[in-house]
Amino acid sequence: MTDDQAKDFVSKGFELGVHVDSGCTKPWTAITLEGFYNDQLQAFKNKFPSLPPQQTHRLHCIANNEWDTQPLVELKYGIRLDLNYYYWPPEWVNNREGFFTGSGLPMRYASWNGPLIDVYQAPTHLTYESFQSDKYKIVIDRLLDRAIGPDGYCCVLGTHYDYASSESDEFQEAVLNSALEHHVPLI
């Protein structure tokens, strides 16, 4: 993608940004995490200089080994919406749809000693790694039916589409088709 093509997407309301990769470093520290963000956000800015700074982020190869380091580093780079809380692994999900926090609403982070951090966390609820492929459409439909139906659940449903495979392509189609059928916008 060229800078002009990326700028065109942004002009249509999309946000483009880097999916910072931790290299699956476990445990990372505040210093190593800062380095991942600094280097990769700068490389992205160099490639796409016309784009505004991203405000939404999800770390690749999630490892939350420190309470508030991630949102504090994100805030330093202007990221205000974090999608790192992830509806996974399949053993926890057990082929059920739902919300880990009991809510589909973004919540503000709190630091380890109590003060709020100006970064919101919205879980990634829809992942192709968590459900059996024959259930994707059913799971997505149930969540959307509960949101726009008489139950009126308010929610932000984050998705995860990390790499292409026949399973992830099937998941992507299920998300798109369900959103279209329910007249729900995708952002």
Side-chain angles (χ1 to χ4, degrees):
M1 180 181 299
T2 66
D3 185 50
D4 285 337
Q5 290 169 324
K7 192 164 81 173
D8 185 51
F9 274 107
V10 170
S11 75
K12 293 175 180 168
F14 292 94
E15 179 188 46
L16 299 178
V18 68
H19 181 45
V20 173
D21 187 347
S22 70
C24 297
T25 303
K26 296 177 186 177
W28 44 254
T29 66
I31 293 169
T32 58
L33 188 66
E34 168 82 24
F36 300 142
Y37 275 83
N38 185 62
D39 295 349
Q40 294 171 46
L41 289 169
Q42 186 60 53
F44 188 84
K45 183 177 180 170
N46 291 345
K47 184 171 182 178
F48 302 106
S50 298
L51 298 187
Q54 71 189 69
Q55 296 179 338
T56 307
H57 182 256
R58 183 177 178 284
L59 186 70
H60 180 73
C61 202
I62 296 169
N64 291 322
N65 52 293
E66 293 186 13
W67 179 263
D68 57 5
T69 301
Q70 182 90 248
L72 289 171
V73 170
E74 288 173 323
L75 183 60
K76 179 178 179 180
Y77 290 96
I79 295 167
R80 303 265 331 284
L81 181 62
D82 172 297
L83 293 157
N84 287 318
Y85 196 42
Y86 184 26
Y87 200 64
W88 181 85
E91 299 78 33
W92 289 5
V93 172
N94 199 23
N95 289 320
R96 295 172 296 206
E97 72 283 349
F99 304 114
F100 275 162
T101 63
S103 166
L105 299 176
M107 297 183 212
R108 272 179 82 178
Y109 275 98
S111 65
W112 67 270
N113 59 351
L116 293 176
I117 299 170
D118 203 18
V119 174
Y120 286 79
Q121 180 185 58
T124 298
H125 292 101
L126 303 173
T127 64
Y128 60 91
E129 302 104 313
S130 297
F131 305 110
Q132 294 175 349
S133 60
D134 62 340
K135 292 188 73 168
Y136 288 144
K137 184 81 166 67
I138 294 166
V139 166
I140 297 163
D141 284 344
R142 282 184 189 157
L143 288 169
L144 292 179
D145 286 342
R146 290 178 182 147
I148 63 174
D151 293 330
Y153 294 157
C154 294
C155 58
V156 173
L157 298 173
T159 64
H160 178 232
Y161 182 80
D162 210 17
Y163 55 88
S165 69
S166 61
E167 188 172 308
S168 63
D169 291 345
E170 186 177 331
F171 168 76
Q172 179 183 5
E173 287 297 314
V175 169
L176 293 172
N177 290 334
S178 188
L180 287 169
E181 290 167 13
H182 288 84
H183 305 286
V184 172
L186 295 173
I187 300 169

